[in-house]
Amino acid sequence: MQDRFLKSVAKLPEPLATAIVPILNKDFAGHIDAQQLEQLQTASKMELNELLLALLPIAAALARPPISDFHVGAIAKGKSGDIYMGANIELPGEALFHSVHAEQSAISHAWLSGESIIEDIIVNASPCGHCRQFINELVEGAKVNIHLPLQKVEPLSHYLPYAFGPSDLNITEPLLTKQQHTLTLDSNDPMIIEGLDHAGLSYAPYTKTYAAVVLETKDGATYCGRYAENAAFNPSMQPMQMALSTMARHNRDFSEINRAVLIESSKGVISLVGAAMDALHSVAAVELEHIVVEPE
Ligand SMILES: O=c1ccn([C@H]2C[C@H](O)[C@@H](CO)O2)c(=O)[nH]1
Ligand SMILES: [Zn+2]
C-alpha cells in the first residue's frame, strides 16, 4: 500500500480496511472499477452509498493543499459504475484562482477515463458555489446526485436552483459530450502526439481554444490534462491544472517534471499560455513548450 493512505486506512472499519489495502497498490491513482467496488461492498457489508462516503478519506489523501492545509476529497461515479477520486490542489505562491477543487479533480478524472455521464458526486465538505456551477455544466448536470456526510442525497438542482448554464449561451452539448476536433501536426514526438489527441478531445465551445497539456517525468511517464470550459467562464478548468491533478493522483511530485508541453489551436479567441506558465513555474523549474496548431 502507498504510504500516503496509511492514516486514512487506519480510520476505516476493519473489514473495509482489509479489503481495500490490495487496491491501494503502487499503481493506484484514484480509480476503482465497478467490480472492485462490488468486492468492497461484499467485504464491508455496507450499502453502496455508505461505502462511497466511507471511501472519502482515501480520496482526501490525494490532496496537495500547501496554503489552506484543508484536505478535500471527492468521488465521481460514472454511468459505467466505476468511481473516480479527486482532491484539491493549491499552487504555492500563486494566485488562489489557480487552485483545483476536489470536485473538478474527480470530474476531470472521470472525463479523461472516457465516462460520458456522471451520476453521483460524493464529497467530504459542502461543495462551494464554483463547484456547484462546474457540476451544472455537465451532461445532465442538474440531475447529478450530491452525497454529503450529514445530508440526504439530493440532485444538484436542490443545491443550485434557478441555475445558469451552457443553454443560456445557446450551447446544446454540455461538458462530457464527446468532442472530436481535428488538430494535426507533422511530428513524431510522442508527447506532442499525445497532446494533439487530448487537445482534439478538449471542450472549448466558447472560445474554440482547443488545448491540452502533457507533462513528462524523467522516467518517461506522461500526465495529461485537457481544457474544460464553462459557460460561467471563471470555473473553467485549465489544461495545466488538470495535468497537475493527474500527476498528484499518480503520487508524483511536481518537482519531477522534466518536460511540459501546451498544445493549442491557432483559431481560438484566447490563449492559455500565460496561465499555464504561471501554474507550471510555481511547481517546477521547467520552460513550457508552446505549440500552436492549425485546426483542419
Ligand atoms: O467545494 C470545495 C470547496 C473548497 N475546496 C478546496 C479549495 C481550496 O484548496 C480549499 C480551501 O477553500 O478547499 C474544494 O476542493 N472544494
Ligand atoms: Zn469548490
Side-chain angles (χ1 to χ4, degrees), residues 101 103 128 131:
H101 287 222
E103 297 88 330
C128 75
C131 288

Side-chain angles (χ1 to χ4, degrees), residues 66-67 90-96 98 278 282-283:
I67 300 169
E90 298 162 359
L91 299 186
E94 272 300 325
L96 299 181
H98 286 284
D278 286 346
S282 76
V283 293

Side-chain angles (χ1 to χ4, degrees), residues 207 209 211 227 238 262 264-265 268-276 290 292:
T207 64
T209 301
Y227 185 30
Q238 302 294 315
L262 165 69
E264 57 181 4
S265 165
V269 299
I270 60 168
S271 169
L272 307 178
V273 68
H290 181 207
V292 178

